[in-house]
Amino acid sequence: MTDTLSLYYSASGEQQAVVPDSAFEYGLLETMRADRGSIPLLQLHIERLTRSANLARNTQCRIAESLGAVAARTQHWAHGARLRLRYGSVSTDTVLSPHWDISAFPLEVPSPWDNGVLLGPCDTRLSEADTRSPFSDSDANSCIGSVQSDHMGCKLLDRKTYDLAANEWRFPAFCSAGGPLLEPLLCDPDGFAIEASRSNLLILRDGCWRTPNLGRFGVRGVMLRWLAGQVEIGDDDISLSELQVADELAVCNSVRGVVPARLLSVHRSPSGMSVTPNESIPVMPGPAVSALQQRISEKLW
């Protein structure tokens, strides 16, 4: 009988459930895809977690082995699995203790990502703290210019800024069922586009792929890193106006791969917001996005 129930695992072995995110005083998050019983990007996820959390070698190996074991349990799941790894500190009897756990969920089909993505620009701005590791040296981080690169670009369990951005788009439906998925688009304090709430940005202009500069703001995504080893991707400051005139636009993450995107055409006024009628039309991939999707299909899943 095919097992399609969610799985939960921790350092103590298989669990019936895991503690809520709110139980963590602070922590890091890795979200990854399992396909046919393995995690294609496992090594890159472990590398990011290791640099973000200063993991000891034995902890790194234990987590990697556990992820492999959980993924193997999903090999007969029809459409693969989404794995969620949390690593951080949990308060137990007023004492902070290291804690990690893994949750595995069946990938849904059809997926809301199947019809592409609409990028909804947000007023919420990213700060450096949103993606700085909670395991970094707080004294060093208090000095301008002394933040270690390894502790930036991390994916934190604390998602307050991303939740605020998502709340900007909790309006009555502006696209029909079967239309593209809305992804809040976050910018840095200067208004340059950085990332979507669950994905990195890719912009094609004059035959060249570019992505926002993630030196100070935003998550340095695992899928983005893998893609940069496959095709040339430059990084630069990217304005919202550049997204509007891109030859092709896409988002990427390690669960969904590369998904075609377009910037949401919306007008905000004191009386409310209006959206152009074509926003309910699915976003179709152009030839360059299709080429990236094909490469993922051939090499990852």
Side-chain angles (χ1 to χ4, degrees):
M1 180 175 173
T2 301
D3 179 8
T4 57
L5 299 177
S6 301
L7 298 174
Y8 304 100
Y9 199 90
S10 75
S12 302
E14 188 167 354
Q15 307 293 319
Q16 292 299 311
V18 292
V19 298
D21 288 355
S22 59
F24 284 78
E25 291 293 321
Y26 54 85
L28 298 163
L29 176 65
E30 294 287 334
T31 307
M32 60 204 81
R33 179 170 178 151
D35 182 67
R36 289 167 290 186
S38 67
I39 303 169
L41 296 173
L42 176 60
Q43 187 57 42
L44 295 183
H45 284 286
I46 292 297
E47 288 177 8
R48 183 172 68 176
L49 181 65
T50 297
R51 74 167 174 82
S52 300
N54 303 317
L55 286 187
R57 177 67 178 174
N58 61 331
T59 304
Q60 172 188 338
C61 293
R62 179 73 189 281
I63 290 175
E65 290 171 359
S66 299
L67 283 166
V70 171
R73 292 274 302 276
T74 72
Q75 63 181 321
H76 298 302
W77 291 11
H79 307 291
R82 175 175 62 89
L83 272 60
R84 195 171 189 263
L85 166 67
R86 303 181 298 176
Y87 180 89
S89 290
V90 172
S91 181
T92 306
D93 297 326
T94 71
V95 177
L96 284 179
S97 304
H99 177 86
W100 60 266
D101 58 39
I102 303 163
S103 304
F105 309 97
L107 279 179
E108 71 276 31
V109 173
S111 163
W113 298 79
D114 291 343
N115 292 316
V117 160
L118 289 177
L119 295 170
C122 297
D123 293 329
T124 302
R125 292 290 185 259
L126 288 166
S127 73
E128 292 185 22
D130 293 320
T131 51
R132 178 191 298 144
S133 171
F135 296 92
S136 61
D137 185 334
S138 58
D139 293 332
N141 287 340
S142 65
C143 303
I144 295 175
S146 62
V147 178
Q148 296 182 13
S149 176
D150 282 354
H151 288 148
M152 301 303 295
C154 307
K155 190 172 184 180
L156 276 56
L157 263 178
D158 184 352
R159 303 282 291 173
K160 291 188 185 72
T161 297
Y162 299 93
D163 291 341
L164 284 172
N167 284 334
E168 292 187 37
W169 291 103
R170 300 199 189 283
F171 294 97
F174 54 85
C175 59
S176 63
L181 175 75
L182 186 127
E183 270 273 86
L185 175 64
L186 290 96
C187 297
D188 68 13
D190 294 322
F192 289 108
I194 296 295
E195 63 185 355
S197 63
R198 294 169 289 180
S199 50
N200 288 118
L201 293 174
L202 293 166
I203 176 173
L204 186 76
R205 286 299 304 275
D206 301 323
C208 298
W209 281 113
R210 296 163 59 208
T211 196
N213 184 340
L214 302 177
R216 293 180 58 201
F217 305 98
V219 176
R220 299 173 191 167
V222 164
M223 177 56 74
L224 179 61
R225 180 180 170 188
W226 183 84
L227 288 169
Q230 303 294 310
V231 297
E232 185 174 348
I233 302 175
D235 65 299
D236 199 358
D237 291 337
I238 297 176
S239 66
L240 293 182
S241 60
E242 289 182 85
L243 298 183
Q244 290 177 320
V245 297
D247 297 328
E248 293 188 42
L249 188 60
V251 297
C252 65
N253 64 39
S254 58
V255 176
R256 302 298 173 182
V258 173
V259 181
R262 68 169 173 259
L263 194 65
L264 181 64
S265 300
V266 60
H267 173 69
R268 302 186 191 216
S269 68
S271 61
M273 52 189 301
S274 59
V275 179
T276 58
N278 71 341
E279 299 303 358
S280 62
I281 301 172
V283 186
M284 303 304 295
V289 169
S290 293
L292 293 181
Q293 292 176 326
Q294 181 63 27
R295 188 163 301 206
I296 290 171
S297 178
E298 291 172 351
K299 297 194 174 188
L300 295 179
W301 56 71

